[in-house]
Amino acid sequence: TPSAVVLCAYLEMGSIDLRDRSVIELGAGTGLLGIVATLLVLCLPSSTCPLMQHILLYCLGARVTITDRAAALEFLESNVQANLPSELRPRAVVKELTWGKDLGNFPPGAFDFILGADIVYLEETFAELLQTLEHLCSEQTVILLSCRIRYERDHKFLKMLRGRFSVYEVHYDSSKDVHIYKAQRGSHKDDF
Ligand SMILES: C[S@@+](CC[C@H](N)C(=O)[O-])C[C@H]1O[C@@H](n2cnc3c(N)ncnc32)[C@H](O)[C@@H]1O
């Protein structure tokens, strides 16, 4: 979706340092965002010698857990396999995560970053999505959500999110009409 493309471009701008961080993508669909997050470590200076590149990939690369509902996993897994070089494949794990369910398989607060592109669209999933974000978040976790604000209900989710997290818009792509929101527990005003 355009939301995934805009969030990928935002990550590529280097605004966020994902090196050696644990990252989870929710509602991954094709997995584009999780794949790009895994690949970002490849942007090493061309002068870096191959042995050093190899070491850096393993020491500094983001560890990305790419998730979606069971029905989406087969396609997602094959996309991830096809688009990551073999040395990076161990850094990306595809796992089932239906919001509000399967949370026992994910240790609370285990992730540094939670990414989601165009996952705010079904009102009946808003409570489960929020519950999932709260489960996965520690005090330090940064949530990045990209979306188009299409309907009144999208504002409703943002309001729900603001009830639990400090939420700031960090980017707006006017050509694609996509917003990126950054959310963290507690008050992180000074960080933005
Ligand atoms: C509009 S697509 C966006 C896909 C991808 N993030 C992108 O931007 O291209 C929404 C995704 O959310 C997933 N999704 C919807 N409801 C879900 C739920 N309850 N639990 C987990 N994933 C869900 C869908 O399977 C789908 O992959």
Side-chain angles (χ1 to χ4, degrees), residues 1 4 25 27-30 68-69 72 97-99 117-119 121-122 125:
T1 62
E25 183 185 4
T30 60
D68 208 309
R69 297 184 286 199
L97 174 49
T98 299
W99 307 327
D118 203 17
I119 58 171
Y121 69 117
L122 298 170
T125 65

Side-chain angles (χ1 to χ4, degrees), residues 52-71:
M52 189 53 83
Q53 281 196 14
H54 200 73
I55 293 167
L56 287 174
L57 285 180
Y58 274 88
C59 301
L60 298 180
R63 300 171 302 268
V64 186
T65 303
I66 305 177
T67 71
D68 208 309
R69 297 184 286 199

